[in-house]
Amino acid sequence: MRIEIDGTRLWNELGTLAGFSDTPRPSVTRIVFSDQDARARAYVKGLFTDAGLAVREDAVGNTFARWEGREPALAAIGTGSHIDAIPHAGAFDGTVGVLGGLEAIRALQRAGVRPRRSLEVLLFTSEEPTRFGIGCLGSRLLAGSLDAGAGETLRDKDGRTLNEVRTAAGFDGDLAGVRLGPGYYAGFVELHIEQGPLLERDGVPLGVVTAIAAPASLRLFFEGEGGHAGAVLMPARRDAFLAAAEVALAVEAAAKESGAVDTVGTAGVCEVFPGAINSIPSRVKLELDIRDIDGDRRDAVLRKVDEAIAEICGRRKVEARKEVINADSPAVCDASIVSALSTACERHGLAHRKMVSRAYHDSLFMARLAPAAMLFIPCRGGFSHRPEEYASPEAIAQGALVLAEAMATLAL
Amino acid sequence: MRIEIDGTRLWNELGTLAGFSDTPRPSVTRIVFSDQDARARAYVKGLFTDAGLAVREDAVGNTFARWEGREPALAAIGTGSHIDAIPHAGAFDGTVGVLGGLEAIRALQRAGVRPRRSLEVLLFTSEEPTRFGIGCLGSRLLAGSLDAGAGETLRDKDGRTLNEVRTAAGFDGDLAGVRLGPGYYAGFVELHIEQGPLLERDGVPLGVVTAIAAPASLRLFFEGEGGHAGAVLMPARRDAFLAAAEVALAVEAAAKESGAVDTVGTAGVCEVFPGAINSIPSRVKLELDIRDIDGDRRDAVLRKVDEAIAEICGRRKVEARKEVINADSPAVCDASIVSALSTACERHGLAHRKMVSRAYHDSLFMARLAPAAMLFIPCRGGFSHRPEEYASPEAIAQGALVLAEAMATLAL
């Protein structure tokens, strides 16, 4: 069999998908269950159907497109990723895994492959935490890592529950039914852009992921005392923003001092209330993301951050309240899937590197459900989550080719 | 003559005015040229008219209500303040000076006073910088401290120019015509809540202001490099928010180190872009307010802040751009007006303290046009610019009483 990827078609489909956005090109903003998300889903489902795949949607909007194997009762081989995008993001994060997975299946169809196991490409709902504050919503529910009660407890910034929003988007039914059985997949592989600079820098076309880091996501609320910026003297102040500023710097310091290059810490959200130039900030919301491929090392950073919050807020007489949004364990990828990906790279004469994923992916949760691994392709400058995000048509096609090859092997 | 303030009526009018708000009581949000601002203006103009005052509005919406004196050709005596309110502010900032000024005039009318000079109460447009980024918009134009070109250069966050917005609100005509001649007022007195804790703490009912501090307002734009919070390693980062956090802390340090209790510095606005938990901040807008009653000392703090910005942004490889929104000079109040206010306090057996205003007021600009001073009343806890802002009916009535007495003297 000779597998051939239609790289032009895949590239054009990625371009079309990027147009479903609330911000103009090259920026992509596609929040889960928004109108643009619905339009994008309809487009992708149409492509699935055109390929002869059987499409199924679950109660949270995870979308499964199945190419039935010769022995449909066997556990399937899955691939896929997400299409939601944070505000002002790029066109390749997630989408390459969904449309690349589809093209891998189409390529196997064209090559005349008749796999024993069924192959499925998935579109996961809400990998990004933008709307409901928690990432990997769909894959968490599939893996049973999130309780169905989340439908009522998770709310968007307008106060609407997940259940209200998903129902309005046309996805109803019991969230408890989303969970997959342990025998559903025999293997899962996610194709994704690296979102880091290493492959591009070293000229390596493919990365085979052996471990996935997991973030601890924290939401902090600081409450000090407001007042007029001219009238309240410096010693009397309890400025919530200055406390938050110190905590953000303490996160950076704790991540840098961990002693490992893989430890990262970020304060990506800071909202200041009331937010007027002549008013002392009384309340601040700060959101932190701290991650590592080593869970113990990450937890040591979290403890340092807790100590810093206590010290800073005690000194500044600012109240702090902490919500742990999630604190998932990192995942080690499955050796047999890693091996299948490495072999597939070699078969096509493509160099690869074994590497860790510092970014978070649906595969972190799929790894709880089935043997799983990921395949990375280079992206320009390592940029992601911004409009400049870019992977070349060649890199994407190579990723889809190796994915197809590995899926064919795993489905034998 | 015996001057009697109708404190109950004044209190009720303040309560009614507080209801014109985009946020629910006790919070007051009244942005200039919003629908609620228009409703509030209509209410106040009705009260002016009911008192038999002649109402005039200028091209920027400054509203003059005139009680003609026996010699109308003479320079008038003015009082007044503003009714706009920052988001989630209180019910007394500014409004006490407008409605208290009106009640002072009504009390003089009831007492049978026939002043030689005309008395005017003013409602100044946009004392707060919320919408157009610059405070004291109306009084700056009256004093010739702001060029009429500001109508085209000042824009709100939706990009609409001052001229577009004021015209839509019903105020048109040439902004250059707003400026008053130097002989228009013989004196100006503004009644205002202290917005600081001193009068309440020491049980002193009135403060006579001898100097008004002025802020330097700066807008800083930081530009670093975004990226995925999981994928970009700490040493490679150029996080715009961490640079802004350090600058905010440097402002606090510089204000504290000035050696004078009157030096204050605040970072009241911090907007982080893209503002997602898993995204490194690429751009931040930070707004600073640095003030003192001594202009040289304030400028020394500004220089320290500039040095800090250069050091921090150089070290973090973040670009910083600075806009000076304003850097007005502090004002010294007029000795004869201060004396009239002190005498009025004594005549009514009310203790007073001479003090400085650390907050910014329209009187800062009226002092460039005419002899001017201010009269402060206590406010609870010194709170201002927040819903808890409160001045008692008694304190407000005492302020209006002393204001009436002083205006009668000045109008003789």
Side-chain angles (χ1 to χ4, degrees):
Chain A
M1 100 194 161
R2 175 164 171 79
I3 303 169
E4 286 187 346
I5 297 297
D6 186 343
T8 303
R9 176 177 180 178
L10 174 52
W11 180 256
N12 290 340
E13 288 169 352
L14 285 164
T16 301
L17 182 54
F20 302 114
S21 167
D22 282 320
T23 48
R25 292 181 194 265
S27 167
V28 177
T29 301
R30 194 184 303 125
I31 311 300
V32 66
F33 300 140
S34 65
D35 290 348
Q36 292 293 351
D37 180 55
R39 293 177 61 205
R41 284 171 179 267
Y43 172 66
V44 173
K45 280 195 289 184
L47 297 179
F48 287 162
T49 306
D50 290 348
L53 307 185
V55 175
R56 169 174 83 84
E57 293 171 327
D58 67 19
V60 79
N62 290 316
T63 304
F64 304 72
R66 187 178 185 94
W67 183 31
E68 194 116 291
R70 283 179 286 121
E71 298 182 30
L74 290 180
I77 300 298
T79 188
S81 191
H82 64 98
I83 63 164
D84 64 324
I86 68 168
H88 306 283
F92 300 92
D93 174 13
T95 55
V96 161
V98 176
L99 297 183
L102 169 62
E103 175 57 20
I105 290 178
R106 290 188 304 219
L108 293 175
Q109 292 173 332
R110 290 193 298 267
V113 173
R114 287 283 290 126
R116 197 164 66 99
R117 295 179 186 275
S118 298
L119 297 184
E120 280 194 355
V121 54
L122 272 84
L123 181 163
F124 294 104
T125 285
S126 197
E127 195 261 357
E128 302 293 359
T130 318
R131 183 155 191 175
F132 292 103
I134 184 170
C136 299
L137 192 52
S139 50
R140 278 178 201 274
L141 286 163
L142 290 175
S145 301
L146 186 68
D147 195 84
E152 291 302 315
T153 55
L154 293 179
R155 289 176 184 273
D156 66 13
K157 71 174 176 0
D158 298 328
R160 299 176 73 203
T161 64
L162 169 59
N163 281 345
E164 286 167 20
V165 176
R166 73 181 170 98
T167 303
F171 301 107
D172 46 21
D174 187 356
L175 280 190
V178 170
R179 186 171 184 171
L180 295 178
Y184 190 90
Y185 285 120
F188 186 86
V189 188
E190 182 175 1
L191 174 65
H192 209 283
I193 59 169
E194 180 192 349
Q195 303 184 289
L198 305 181
L199 293 176
E200 182 195 51
R201 188 190 69 193
D202 299 337
V204 180
L206 292 156
V208 175
V209 174
T210 57
I212 305 170
S217 306
L218 308 179
R219 188 177 291 129
L220 300 174
F221 296 95
F222 296 89
E223 178 141 12
E225 190 163 44
H228 191 289
V232 184
L233 300 185
M234 298 309 286
R237 294 190 177 197
R238 297 168 48 217
D239 185 321
F241 175 52
L242 295 179
E246 280 201 65
V247 169
L249 293 163
V251 168
E252 179 192 40
K256 283 186 168 177
E257 288 160 11
S258 90
V261 67
D262 292 316
T263 319
V264 288
T266 308
V269 173
C270 179
E271 294 175 8
V272 176
F273 183 90
I277 189 169
N278 54 356
S279 214
I280 299 165
S282 58
R283 292 205 301 275
V284 169
K285 180 172 88 171
L286 190 74
E287 291 185 355
L288 306 178
D289 177 303
I290 295 163
R291 57 181 98 187
D292 204 312
I293 54 165
D294 180 307
D296 292 340
R297 202 165 53 206
R298 186 194 69 188
D299 292 346
V301 172
L302 287 174
R303 283 192 297 277
K304 269 199 185 178
V305 170
D306 280 344
E307 288 164 17
I309 293 168
E311 188 280 319
I312 292 161
C313 292
R315 170 165 43 80
R316 290 189 174 273
K317 298 188 176 67
V318 167
E319 302 288 323
R321 184 164 61 81
K322 183 174 86 170
E323 285 177 8
V324 177
I325 302 171
N326 57 269
D328 302 298
S329 303
V332 175
C333 294
D334 181 79
S336 65
I337 311 273
V338 166
S339 167
L341 288 166
S342 298
T343 304
C345 290
E346 287 158 12
R347 190 167 303 167
H348 290 278
L350 294 166
H352 73 281
R353 161 182 297 183
K354 297 219 171 111
M355 62 193 305
V356 301
S357 168
R358 294 203 180 78
Y360 201 50
H361 297 286
D362 291 304
S363 291
L364 187 67
F365 297 95
M366 296 312 281
R368 299 183 182 180
L369 197 66
M374 297 185 71
L375 182 64
F376 277 178
I377 57 170
C379 60
R380 187 170 60 197
F383 302 150
S384 188
H385 280 194
R386 47 193 280 202
E388 296 85 349
E389 187 180 86
Y390 177 80
S392 72
E394 296 70 31
I396 294 167
Q398 287 172 343
L401 176 64
V402 170
L403 176 65
E405 180 74 43
M407 289 180 78
T409 303
L410 293 167
L412 279 182
Chain B
M1 98 191 161
R2 175 164 169 79
I3 303 170
E4 287 186 345
I5 296 298
D6 187 344
T8 304
R9 175 178 180 176
L10 174 51
W11 180 256
N12 290 340
E13 289 169 350
L14 285 164
T16 302
L17 182 54
F20 302 113
S21 167
D22 282 318
T23 49
R25 289 181 195 267
S27 167
V28 177
T29 301
R30 197 184 300 124
I31 310 301
V32 67
F33 300 139
S34 65
D35 289 349
Q36 292 294 352
D37 182 56
R39 294 179 59 204
R41 286 172 177 266
Y43 171 67
V44 173
K45 279 194 290 181
L47 297 178
F48 288 162
T49 307
D50 290 348
L53 308 184
V55 175
R56 166 174 84 83
E57 293 170 328
D58 68 17
V60 80
N62 290 315
T63 304
F64 302 74
R66 188 177 184 97
W67 183 30
E68 193 114 292
R70 285 179 284 120
E71 297 183 31
L74 290 181
I77 301 297
T79 187
S81 192
H82 65 99
I83 62 163
D84 64 326
I86 68 167
H88 307 281
F92 301 92
D93 173 15
T95 56
V96 162
V98 176
L99 296 183
L102 169 62
E103 175 56 22
I105 289 178
R106 289 188 305 218
L108 293 175
Q109 292 172 333
R110 289 193 297 268
V113 174
R114 286 282 290 129
R116 195 164 69 97
R117 296 180 185 275
S118 300
L119 297 185
E120 279 194 354
V121 53
L122 273 83
L123 181 163
F124 293 105
T125 286
S126 197
E127 194 261 358
E128 302 292 358
T130 317
R131 182 154 191 174
F132 293 104
I134 184 169
C136 299
L137 191 52
S139 51
R140 279 177 200 274
L141 287 163
L142 290 174
S145 300
L146 185 67
D147 196 84
E152 291 301 316
T153 56
L154 293 179
R155 290 177 183 270
D156 66 12
K157 70 174 176 2
D158 298 326
R160 298 175 72 202
T161 65
L162 170 59
N163 281 346
E164 286 167 19
V165 175
R166 73 180 172 95
T167 304
F171 302 108
D172 46 20
D174 187 354
L175 281 190
V178 170
R179 184 172 186 169
L180 295 178
Y184 190 90
Y185 286 120
F188 187 86
V189 189
E190 181 174 2
L191 174 64
H192 209 281
I193 60 169
E194 180 193 347
Q195 303 184 289
L198 304 181
L199 294 175
E200 182 195 49
R201 189 190 69 192
D202 298 338
V204 180
L206 293 155
V208 175
V209 174
T210 57
I212 305 171
S217 306
L218 309 179
R219 189 176 291 129
L220 300 173
F221 296 95
F222 296 89
E223 180 143 9
E225 188 165 43
H228 190 287
V232 184
L233 300 186
M234 299 307 288
R237 293 189 177 199
R238 297 169 49 217
D239 185 320
F241 175 52
L242 295 178
E246 280 201 65
V247 168
L249 292 164
V251 169
E252 180 192 41
K256 284 187 166 178
E257 288 161 10
S258 92
V261 68
D262 293 316
T263 319
V264 287
T266 308
V269 172
C270 178
E271 294 174 8
V272 175
F273 183 91
I277 189 171
N278 55 357
S279 214
I280 299 165
S282 58
R283 294 206 298 276
V284 169
K285 181 173 86 170
L286 189 74
E287 291 184 356
L288 306 178
D289 177 303
I290 293 162
R291 57 181 97 187
D292 204 311
I293 55 166
D294 181 306
D296 290 342
R297 202 164 53 205
R298 186 194 70 187
D299 292 344
V301 172
L302 287 174
R303 282 192 297 276
K304 269 199 184 179
V305 171
D306 281 344
E307 288 164 16
I309 293 168
E311 188 279 320
I312 291 162
C313 292
R315 171 164 42 80
R316 291 190 174 272
K317 299 188 176 65
V318 166
E319 303 289 320
R321 184 164 61 81
K322 183 174 86 169
E323 284 178 9
V324 177
I325 301 170
N326 56 269
D328 303 299
S329 302
V332 174
C333 294
D334 180 78
S336 66
I337 311 274
V338 166
S339 167
L341 287 167
S342 298
T343 304
C345 290
E346 287 158 11
R347 188 167 304 165
H348 290 277
L350 294 165
H352 73 281
R353 161 183 296 182
K354 298 221 169 109
M355 62 194 304
V356 303
S357 168
R358 293 202 180 80
Y360 201 49
H361 297 287
D362 291 304
S363 291
L364 187 67
F365 297 96
M366 297 311 282
R368 299 183 182 179
L369 197 63
M374 296 185 72
L375 182 64
F376 276 177
I377 57 170
C379 59
R380 187 169 61 197
F383 302 150
S384 187
H385 279 194
R386 47 192 277 201
E388 295 86 348
E389 184 180 271
Y390 177 81
S392 72
E394 298 71 31
I396 295 168
Q398 287 172 343
L401 177 65
V402 170
L403 177 65
E405 180 75 45
M407 288 180 78
T409 305
L410 293 167
L412 279 181

